[in-house]
Amino acid sequence: MEKYKHKYGAEQIQVLEGLEAVRKRPGMYIGSTSVRGLHHCVYEIVDNGVDEALAGYCTEINVVIEKDNVISVTDNGRGIPVEIHPKTHISTAETVYTVLHAGGKFGGDSGYKVSGGLHGVGASVVNALSTWTEVTIKRDGGLYQMYFEKGKTVRKLERIGDAEGTGTKVRFLADDTIFESLDYEYETLEKRMREMAFLTKGLKITLEDQREETPKRAEFCYEGGLISFVEYLNKNKEKLHKTPIYIEKSGEVPVEIAIQYTTSYSENIHTFVNNINTIEGGTHLEGFKRALTKVFNDYARSHNILKEKDNNLQGEDIREGITAVVSVKVKEPQFEGQTKTKLGNSEVTGVVQSMVNEALSTFLEENPNVAKAILEKCISASRAREAARKARELVRKKNSLETSTLPGKLADCSSKNPDECEVYIVEGDSAGGSAKQGRDRKFQAILPLWGKMLNVEKARADKIYGNDKLNPVILAIGAGIGADFDITKIRYGKVIIMADADVDGAHIRTLLLTFFFRYMRPLIENGNVYLAQPPLYKISKKGMEDIYCYTDEELDQKYKDLEEKGISRDQLGLQRYKGLGEMNPEQLWDTTMDPEKRILVKVTMEDAMKADEIFSLLMGDEVEPRREFIQANAKYVKNLDI
Ligand code: 0R9
């Protein structure tokens, strides 16, 4: 501590202990030290700028990934206050950066600074987890700056010059001894910045990636807010009505919702609490769904679209083809669920429900053509649901007549304990054969898939039951699909997709992920779905054990390692695997199936959502966006086997 010029009082010592705790247990404050936690640091700082925009003082935020993975965030707000804080006796700005949760306590009257979940932990946590942080403030005609290392003040806030205008700039280098990697993903940051811009009407957010020779740059600004968000989500879909339905209410719990129906069969509802994506839903979603079901049923009854003898439409009928964004602001949100992204505050259900009840029924009365178009779709969904129920019963009856309910192609394992059992869903009969011979039959089951899969984008549930490609998957997993899906019945704790590392393999992976996302979502939420990673290359040499490489980078590295040992490339044999079928059973076990050696990638909801999005694009009705996607991504298709 001697190396710092200033003296520490009792309060400052407490401060340092606070930030020391953050460094000792970073996961508790930032969720994890994986790349996810790393990105959270950027969101924390950007959120502070967004808060200033919500307070009405900031119109632009610029985010830059500088060379060497330094992150820079600049806003044009009022600038963090610079005067000495009466409680801490240091500048307010330094207080915000060194006292845990100070940002919310000492200032920022937006009132909605999040206090739960992984967000809203504040600038001090990012500061504690950074090798260094530099904060520059323009305020009252002066340019001020302070500098920290690992959360400790190295240069206190000082006036370093004059300045025009106001604003705050924060630059930080995340600590590579804390985070697993500092490799920011441009696409992840881009998605979040776009989302923040949608959620904050009129705010301009720019993102620049200076790590490569030609920097990438994106700019987001949406005057339409949530309406623009829904239009963006639906850009590749055929719409049932031209303009999204928009409802908004201020008050104790402000609510903002945009809705647009499309001809698709899927349900696409995104919910946010204080700008945080509540992937697991919660009470706001519950209120929204309840109101939707009630309003459409009431309207259908009062306009004689549903007759007395007809059953009510069910929630799932009414949500078929919906795209909606629900954004609420809650003063003290409680986040629950596995990833702390499920809103728990029970009072929010009623608020959202009554607000949607009122606004949506008014909208439908005023827009009878839109109401009619949506209800026609709901009724056809309810008929399809009835047909699906019949198809399901037929399949059930048929299966109960057979001696075994398991699909013929499945090579099951001997254990019946789901916790230790896994099923490999394998593309192609020949790879399936190798996998069957190579596996450990005690706990590994193999289900080969073959031929052309059903396009789930263009099929309703009634077509999925009894489909000869998907039915084996449903039966093998053993837990049903859709609303009937029961996670407690799964026969395997791990469902592993094993496909070739080529375009066809990618296609089958996307198809299966989309199917799981739409019809067995809890399987993904619960973390039961995995992707096997077969190797791309085998390096061999007489008298040396074969070396498998899973990426091009790994291959380069292995060549370098061997060269250092005096073995040059031309002494080595190289096999590039075009498909799983080229491996014999023993090799497949060694490289891809042996739990001691294999690499499995756990599929997250984000992966599945991405697969679903790409899938809608590639398989959906709109031709033009599909062509654009293929043209834009053709350059990324590597190792295409022609
Ligand atoms: C680049 C990222 N931006 C920020 O971190 C940021 C924080 C911040 C801010 C205020 C204005 N701009 C900001 N940018 C601010 C100013 C005033 C009152 N509240 C907020 C004011 O001028 O009175 N602050 C966030 C917390 C604090 N300031 C505070 F606690 F220091 F007041």
Side-chain angles (χ1 to χ4, degrees):
M1 270 198 215
E2 284 76 10
K3 86 185 215 231
Y4 306 120
K5 287 193 189 86
H6 52 275
K7 290 250 162 35
Y8 290 101
E11 252 166 347
Q12 277 304 92
I13 286 170
Q14 221 182 347
V15 164
L16 292 177
E17 280 170 359
L19 293 194
E20 214 37 66
V22 176
R23 288 182 64 82
K24 275 209 187 103
R25 299 184 151 200
M28 269 187 51
Y29 297 87
I30 203 86
S32 82
T33 53
S34 66
V35 65
R36 193 173 169 170
L38 181 75
H39 289 116
H40 270 300
C41 290
V42 183
Y43 307 158
E44 281 302 326
I45 303 299
V46 174
D47 279 355
N48 291 336
V50 172
D51 274 357
E52 184 66 355
L54 288 174
Y57 299 99
C58 163
T59 57
E60 188 167 336
I61 299 175
N62 310 110
V63 182
V64 182
I65 315 167
E66 297 181 6
K67 287 210 163 70
D68 309 322
N69 292 316
V70 170
I71 294 288
S72 153
V73 184
T74 311
D75 72 46
N76 67 348
R78 289 166 292 177
I80 308 180
V82 294
E83 74 285 336
I84 297 295
H85 194 274
K87 257 209 176 132
T88 59
H89 310 293
I90 54 174
S91 68
T92 305
E94 189 182 341
T95 308
V96 170
Y97 271 79
T98 53
V99 179
L100 271 179
H101 301 296
K105 265 188 243 161
F106 292 109
D109 52 6
S110 73
Y112 294 109
K113 190 73 196 160
V114 187
S115 50
L118 302 178
H119 300 256
V121 289
S124 59
V125 168
V126 178
N127 188 20
L129 301 178
S130 295
T131 303
W132 58 262
T133 308
E134 177 197 84
V135 181
T136 313
I137 297 164
K138 289 195 284 183
R139 206 178 149 104
D140 308 328
L143 188 67
Y144 298 83
Q145 198 173 64
M146 55 186 177
Y147 186 81
F148 309 89
E149 281 174 10
K150 298 181 182 173
K152 293 182 181 169
T153 312
V154 171
R155 273 195 284 121
K156 290 179 80 67
L157 188 75
E158 58 182 339
R159 186 174 168 138
I160 56 171
D162 298 335
E164 270 176 33
T166 59
T168 305
K169 178 174 188 171
V170 179
R171 292 175 68 239
F172 68 93
L173 174 65
D175 193 334
D176 63 358
T177 64
I178 286 184
F179 291 99
E180 284 163 21
S181 107
L182 297 190
D183 291 332
Y184 293 96
E185 289 163 10
Y186 179 81
E187 283 72 25
T188 305
L189 293 179
E190 182 187 38
K191 182 167 180 275
R192 178 67 183 154
M193 295 310 122
R194 181 187 293 117
E195 204 170 87
M196 288 304 271
F198 280 131
L199 292 165
T200 322
K201 217 182 281 183
L203 172 66
K204 178 165 148 188
I205 304 183
T206 65
L207 173 66
E208 191 173 319
D209 187 350
Q210 299 178 337
R211 290 172 301 181
E212 284 167 38
E213 247 167 56
T214 30
K216 279 192 212 128
R217 210 186 116 83
E219 185 177 312
F220 308 108
C221 183
Y222 305 99
E223 293 303 334
L226 293 196
I227 295 180
S228 311
F229 200 164
V230 162
E231 283 172 342
Y232 171 81
L233 293 169
N234 279 348
K235 63 181 186 298
N236 305 321
K237 298 185 176 166
E238 197 183 319
K239 290 89 173 158
L240 280 192
H241 50 107
K242 200 161 170 269
T243 330
I245 303 167
Y246 179 71
I247 42 191
E248 186 186 17
K249 191 175 158 283
S250 51
E252 186 59 16
V253 180
V255 184
E256 211 189 328
I257 297 174
I259 307 165
Q260 190 178 38
Y261 278 83
T262 71
T263 57
S264 95
Y265 300 132
S266 52
E267 175 184 327
N268 191 9
I269 305 177
H270 299 259
T271 60
F272 294 85
V273 175
N274 303 347
N275 288 354
I276 293 165
N277 192 345
T278 32
I279 296 173
E280 296 170 282
T283 51
H284 50 336
L285 178 61
E286 196 48 46
F288 176 64
K289 285 183 177 176
R290 281 189 204 168
L292 214 58
T293 308
K294 182 170 166 34
V295 170
F296 277 106
N297 271 304
D298 286 355
Y299 184 92
R301 293 253 173 238
S302 64
H303 290 74
N304 220 19
I305 299 171
L306 275 183
K307 310 280 184 306
E308 220 168 284
K309 63 173 176 39
D310 293 330
N311 286 331
N312 259 5
L313 296 165
Q314 293 197 357
E316 60 186 281
D317 305 332
I318 292 167
R319 296 191 301 272
E320 190 190 272
I322 196 174
T323 300
V325 179
V326 176
S327 169
V328 300
K329 298 274 161 59
V330 179
K331 286 226 169 82
E332 280 181 33
Q334 264 122 41
F335 290 106
E336 303 170 345
Q338 228 190 7
T339 52
K340 292 267 173 284
T341 56
K342 181 175 185 182
L343 183 67
N345 304 54
S346 55
E347 72 279 9
V348 178
T349 306
V351 174
V352 176
Q353 194 178 344
S354 62
M355 174 256 185
V356 177
N357 268 341
E358 199 185 313
L360 189 60
S361 39
T362 309
F363 175 89
L364 295 182
E365 291 299 341
E366 287 171 0
N367 297 272
N369 289 341
V370 177
K372 188 165 165 264
I374 296 173
L375 273 163
E376 269 170 13
K377 163 113 174 142
C378 299
I379 286 167
S380 108
S382 105
R383 289 196 186 118
R385 178 172 47 76
E386 191 52 28
R389 192 183 59 75
K390 287 190 181 138
R392 195 162 60 223
E393 261 162 26
L394 216 76
V395 170
R396 272 197 202 132
K397 254 188 216 146
K398 190 169 148 256
N399 286 338
S400 66
L401 291 177
E402 287 166 5
T403 45
S404 152
T405 56
L406 292 174
K409 288 248 175 194
L410 176 77
D412 208 5
C413 49
S414 56
S415 165
K416 294 286 167 261
N417 174 8
D419 291 339
E420 65 173 8
C421 292
E422 41 193 55
V423 60
Y424 276 82
I425 302 179
V426 187
E427 174 201 5
D429 270 345
S430 84
S434 292
K436 273 182 197 174
Q437 288 175 45
R439 69 181 171 143
D440 182 332
R441 57 183 66 233
K442 181 169 180 297
F443 66 96
Q444 291 180 320
I446 309 295
L447 180 66
L449 292 183
W450 72 105
K452 205 168 171 298
M453 277 281 261
L454 178 78
N455 182 349
V456 277
E457 173 74 17
K458 294 216 163 122
R460 272 182 171 139
D462 56 325
K463 294 281 180 309
I464 283 164
Y465 282 107
N467 173 270
D468 63 342
K469 302 291 181 293
L470 288 173
N471 208 31
V473 178
I474 302 167
L475 290 177
I477 294 174
I481 62 167
D484 289 341
F485 185 80
D486 180 356
I487 189 96
T488 63
K489 295 218 174 97
I490 54 171
R491 301 180 61 251
Y492 310 97
K494 288 195 176 75
V495 175
I496 304 166
I497 303 172
M498 184 156 75
D500 289 341
D502 62 8
V503 178
D504 287 342
H507 186 220
I508 208 142
R509 257 193 307 277
T510 309
L511 261 158
L512 277 169
L513 283 185
T514 305
F515 171 64
F516 290 145
F517 177 71
R518 298 220 180 138
Y519 292 96
M520 298 189 184
R521 195 167 293 183
L523 199 65
I524 297 173
E525 286 169 342
N526 203 41
N528 299 101
V529 182
Y530 294 83
L531 302 176
Q533 301 289 294
L536 286 179
Y537 303 100
K538 181 176 82 174
I539 306 176
S540 54
K541 184 176 178 296
K542 230 182 177 171
M544 182 184 88
E545 209 173 297
D546 292 342
I547 300 172
Y548 296 101
C549 301
Y550 294 80
T551 60
D552 287 306
E553 291 73 28
E554 204 181 335
L555 178 69
D556 286 343
Q557 189 57 45
K558 283 274 148 56
Y559 272 144
K560 274 187 203 141
D561 292 349
L562 289 169
E563 243 159 53
E564 274 173 21
K565 291 182 197 154
I567 307 171
S568 68
R569 274 181 204 216
D570 46 327
Q571 294 172 269
L572 297 164
L574 177 69
Q575 181 179 359
R576 177 169 143 58
Y577 289 116
K578 291 215 184 77
L580 293 161
E582 288 179 16
M583 269 182 265
N584 63 36
E586 199 180 314
Q587 288 173 328
L588 199 58
W589 164 259
D590 267 354
T591 60
T592 321
M593 298 178 72
D594 177 0
E596 300 284 322
K597 298 188 205 150
R598 72 184 175 193
I599 303 172
L600 287 186
V601 176
K602 192 187 261 191
V603 173
T604 64
M605 272 298 279
E606 278 119 347
D607 296 330
M609 279 156 88
K610 207 178 270 174
D612 185 74
E613 206 176 297
I614 294 174
F615 198 70
S616 306
L617 185 79
L618 293 179
M619 306 290 183
D621 298 312
E622 305 281 310
V623 178
E624 189 53 26
R626 175 161 61 230
R627 213 187 55 203
E628 278 171 22
F629 177 87
I630 293 170
Q631 279 173 354
N633 288 278
K635 60 178 179 287
Y636 300 119
V637 180
K638 278 196 284 187
N639 309 324
L640 196 65
D641 295 310
I642 310 173

